Each structure stands twice: as C-alpha cells, then as structure tokens.
Amino acid sequence: MEYQYLIVKWLHVLSSTVLFGTGIGSAFYLLRASLERDPLVVASVTRSVVVGDWLFTGTTVVLQPLTGFWLTALADVPLDSRWIAWSLVLYVLAVACWLPVVVIQIRLRDVAAEAAQNARPLLPPRYWRLFRVWFALGVPAFLAFVGIFYLMVAKPI
C-alpha cells in the first residue's frame, strides 16, 4: 500500500510539474515572440505552443484530478477537507481559464500565419485584441496554480 501511494504521489507531483512548467514555458515563449512583432516568428512559435499545450497541458489536466483523487483515497483523506476543497476550486478556475486560452492560441497562430503568408510586416490589430484576452486569462490561471501548489505542500486549512 505504501509503495502504491509513493508511485501515485510521484505521478501527481510529476504531472503537476509538467502542467505548471508547460504553462509557464508556453506563456514565456508566446510573450517573447509577440513582443518581437514579426509575423514569421510569431507564426512559428505559436505553432509549437499550440502543439505543446495539447500534448503536455492537455494530458496533465486530465491526470492531475485522477491522481489527486487516487491519493486522497489511498491516504484516507476526506474530500471535504478544506485544503482539498480549495484546491479543487482553484483547479476548476485554472482549467476554466485554460480552455479558452487554447482556442485563443489557435486563433493567434492562424492570424500570425496569415500575416506571415501575406508578407505583412506587422501583426494585425486582431492579433493584439486576442493577445490581451490570452494574457488576461493567464494571470488568474497562474495565480490559481501557485495557490494549489501552496495548498498541496502546506495543507494549512
């Protein structure tokens, strides 16, 4: 039983690291590319960001609650513990921000690719409108994940 708990805990910690790291990395590279304002650069980077988000974030978004609930069952921790309840609330908030972010990233990719294909020297205003929404959704998602990490480690309430 203890061995099983350690394996599930390792999977949970590993997937949370991949989830958070992919989010930070995607945000960093998309932000940096966008600030370059070169449609060719942005088109290339957003293609990779979209693939990475689906591949890494998509799988870990599913894995996190599965391993989390499994851990609570193995450790006999009640699901109505306040730190778990708050973790779930923050997780739902983060995922609710991430889902539209994925759609926005696809649109950003397409807008940048069209600008690059048409040899436009700048990204169009539509790109920047989408980018502002993407950025605004990223802030609460980031803060929610930071809060979840704190709750997972400290279990304060």
Side-chain angles (χ1 to χ4, degrees), residues 48-113:
S48 294
V49 165
V50 168
V51 170
D53 227 15
W54 279 114
L55 182 63
F56 299 110
T57 308
T59 55
T60 55
V61 157
V62 173
L63 196 55
Q64 276 295 281
L66 294 176
T67 56
F69 287 128
W70 195 358
L71 280 171
T72 59
L74 289 171
D76 200 29
V77 176
L79 288 176
D80 62 354
S81 299
R82 287 181 43 183
W83 72 272
I84 291 177
W86 275 107
S87 294
L88 290 170
V89 167
L90 291 172
Y91 191 77
V92 168
L93 170 66
V95 172
C97 290
W98 175 71
L99 290 171
V101 158
V102 172
V103 173
I104 292 168
Q105 287 173 172
I106 292 168
R107 290 182 183 154
L108 290 171
R109 177 200 64 196
D110 295 346
V111 170

Side-chain angles (χ1 to χ4, degrees), residues 14-44:
L14 180 63
S15 68
S16 69
T17 304
V18 170
L19 175 61
F20 191 73
T22 300
I24 293 293
S26 294
F28 175 78
Y29 289 113
L30 184 54
L31 176 63
R32 289 280 297 144
S34 296
L35 293 176
E36 292 286 324
R37 301 182 185 277
D38 180 342
L40 281 170
V41 171
V42 174
S44 176

